[in-house]
Amino acid sequence: MSNTIEKIKTRLQDGELTRILAFGSSNTERFLPDMHWFDVLDVAIRDKYGRVHYCINTGISGNTTRDLLQRFDRDAALYQPHVVIITIGGNDCNPDKNLSIEDFERNLLTLHRQFTEMGTLVVFQTYYAVISDGSQRFLNFYKYSDVVRKVAADTQSALLDQLARWELLQQHYPDLYVPLMRDAFHLNRRGNRVMGVGVAREFDLTPDKDLDFWGEALYAHQLMDQLASKQK
């Protein structure tokens, strides 16, 4: 099991300045008002440890792993991040992008190698659950998500498996899940809060207890916890 998360937590606890990079596509790019999932992590770290970190977001909508590799020097290496959260695959799985599942795995491994060569701790992240229309892209989505899990395991990287938890919410509480989605493949502002709380929890962080703002997100994770425990 990867100890990447523990290493990151130790850096933060020790007050060691930590640059955290979010690298991905539209799930990562900040293009909506209100709290983005990466903002939630930023605020949660600051609330517990103070400003011991900087969050840098270089997500670009429509990107694939091929695009991340092409802009690696400009949008990743330039910042010399201590930590990277890679969330990618929703476009790679689109047949129109001509990226086979083998290409996807190879590109993820290359990204991992390039980050680790400059000393960056790598965290892979799966997407939230999407709303399928039965097209090939949606059918591919789950296979490509499995590749993210496989690469994380093979490289002993950290994995934030959002999909495993969001699928349970989608299946068992659709009336709660659907209002979190902007469209079939994207979260809205409410969904970003839920995702952000999920990320923060992986680092033993929680947002403040302002239930007017955080209540829905905290409740969603309470339900996910209950559903996940039943599956064990």
Side-chain angles (χ1 to χ4, degrees), residues 7-211:
K7 289 180 180 178
I8 297 169
K9 287 163 55 178
T10 297
R11 285 188 65 96
L12 298 173
Q13 291 164 3
D14 291 348
E16 191 172 355
L17 182 63
T18 301
R19 291 183 295 276
I20 306 171
L21 177 71
F23 204 34
S25 55
S26 57
N27 58 71
T28 300
E29 182 179 8
R30 199 186 198 293
F31 62 90
L32 292 173
D34 209 321
M35 296 288 284
H36 181 270
W37 66 261
F38 199 42
D39 299 327
V40 179
L41 178 63
D42 184 13
V43 169
I45 294 173
R46 185 194 175 280
D47 283 350
K48 185 167 184 177
Y49 299 113
R51 182 52 64 184
V52 298
H53 67 294
Y54 295 108
C55 284
I56 305 162
N57 188 334
T58 59
I60 296 180
S61 297
N63 268 198
T64 65
T65 49
R66 181 190 297 135
D67 298 307
L68 297 191
L69 288 169
Q70 288 175 348
R71 62 188 182 90
F72 182 86
D73 289 341
R74 184 194 72 182
D75 294 344
L78 175 67
Y79 299 105
Q80 291 292 294
H82 301 101
V83 177
V84 63
I85 302 175
I86 302 172
T87 317
I88 197 72
N91 297 305
D92 297 71
C93 68
N94 186 341
D96 294 341
K97 296 293 186 178
N98 296 314
L99 270 161
S100 71
I101 200 164
E102 292 80 16
D103 292 332
F104 181 57
E105 180 173 358
R106 184 163 48 250
N107 289 349
L108 287 177
L109 289 168
T110 301
L111 284 167
H112 176 270
R113 175 179 56 78
Q114 291 181 331
F115 275 113
T116 55
E117 283 177 351
M118 61 181 185
T120 304
L121 295 169
V122 177
V123 179
F124 288 105
Q125 179 170 231
T126 59
Y127 284 50
Y128 35 84
V130 298
I131 302 173
S132 176
D133 63 1
S135 67
Q136 190 60 51
R137 181 186 184 187
F138 285 97
L139 295 174
N140 288 346
F141 172 78
Y142 296 96
K143 297 176 183 177
Y144 280 59
S145 298
D146 284 339
V147 171
V148 174
R149 294 168 173 140
K150 178 179 184 298
V151 170
D154 289 348
T155 59
Q156 296 187 312
S157 302
L159 174 67
L160 307 182
D161 198 351
Q162 298 279 356
L163 181 57
R165 291 173 59 81
W166 279 74
E167 277 189 295
L168 294 173
L169 191 69
Q170 182 186 44
Q171 293 165 9
H172 294 274
Y173 294 97
D175 290 345
L176 192 155
Y177 160 82
V178 172
L180 305 177
M181 301 298 291
R182 179 175 182 261
D183 55 44
F185 247 97
H186 299 93
L187 300 174
N188 58 27
R189 60 187 181 85
R190 292 163 62 184
N192 266 285
R193 289 184 206 170
V194 176
M195 183 172 176
V197 168
V199 175
R201 280 164 43 112
E202 296 285 345
F203 298 93
D204 296 332
L205 304 168
T206 55
D208 62 48
K209 301 303 182 182
D210 179 359
L211 293 184

